Amino acid sequence: MTTALITGSTAGIGAAFARRLAADGHDLVLVARDTKRLREQATELHDRHGIEAEVLTADLAADAGIEAVAARLGDRRRPVDLLVNNAGFGNKGRYLDVSLADELRMLKVHCEAVLRLTSAATEAMRDRGRGGVVNVASVAAFVPRGTYGASKAWVVQFTQGVARDLAGSGVRLMALCPGFVRTEFHERAGMGTDNIPGWMWLDADKVVASALHDLARGRTLSIPDPRYKALMGAAKLVPRGMLGGLSSRTGRKYGPQ
């Protein structure tokens, strides 16, 4: 029996990872800020799949929260075999309309927490000679679009760089870059979604199935849908200046800043 730790596990892509991994027989460490939701999720997954689900309440925008999760990842008596760094959020508004405190909070969760938790997990995994890390980024990483896209671009570059450094160690790392997924993400950020075309939406369970398939194949980057693969391929052909203008207009209409 292996154990997976998932941050932001109570909703969206994190909850989909929890459902899939529990169904596959993995024990879980569920991490989020809401203890009540965590306990309800742990009970449901335990009752449905017979796995052990540990609850760890932590706010990854705070040092204490990051330290608590890093300590759990580094516990050699209770090894974690798969880390899913999924916690994240978006800010509503254009640059300078969003407070600096909120921008820094985003970077804390998207970048610093991912760095520190990946480091804690991979050090223990390397010593055991096995393990995996999935860092959830976004297709926003590939277009010039404010702090959110920049933070996700960092996740992609960091993950692929570490994957190269740890090649041959038995530890696999992969950046997951979905497009629009039907989750609580936009609602929590106060963003409307009525204007997003239906074809752009992805199902969280299908995103997770594709991600785990790509991780098993040893890929360091997963864009889990042919539509978004095509869009990102086309984006490479557009001049950078034009792409910046297009992504700025699209981001104001559809996505986080």
Side-chain angles (χ1 to χ4, degrees), residues 17-145:
F17 266 109
R19 289 191 298 269
R20 172 59 186 269
L21 292 168
D24 288 347
H26 299 276
D27 288 337
L28 301 175
V29 182
L30 304 171
V31 179
R33 294 178 297 170
D34 190 325
T35 303
K36 182 175 182 292
R37 290 185 71 179
L38 281 170
R39 288 174 176 168
E40 291 172 350
Q41 182 185 33
T43 298
E44 178 185 356
L45 293 172
H46 169 75
D47 291 349
R48 178 172 297 182
H49 301 292
I51 56 92
E52 295 301 319
E54 177 185 342
V55 166
L56 176 52
T57 305
D59 181 357
L60 297 183
D63 282 333
I66 298 174
E67 289 164 4
V69 181
R72 178 63 184 85
L73 289 166
D75 188 342
R76 305 305 173 98
R77 299 166 301 153
R78 299 178 295 161
V80 171
D81 304 278
L82 175 66
L83 166 63
V84 180
N85 273 316
N86 167 75
F89 63 93
N91 289 319
K92 182 180 180 181
R94 299 176 67 177
Y95 183 64
L96 295 183
D97 294 335
V98 178
S99 72
L100 183 58
D102 286 342
E103 297 276 42
L104 290 171
R105 182 169 169 265
M106 177 187 287
L107 293 177
K108 185 90 169 179
V109 175
H110 289 186
C111 300
E112 183 180 339
V114 168
L115 168 63
R116 292 168 64 179
L117 299 187
T118 298
S119 297
T122 54
E123 183 176 4
M125 291 173 182
R126 183 181 61 181
D127 291 346
R128 296 195 303 272
R130 67 183 186 280
V133 177
V134 176
N135 289 330
V136 179
S138 167
V139 293
F142 306 113
V143 293
R145 186 55 197 155

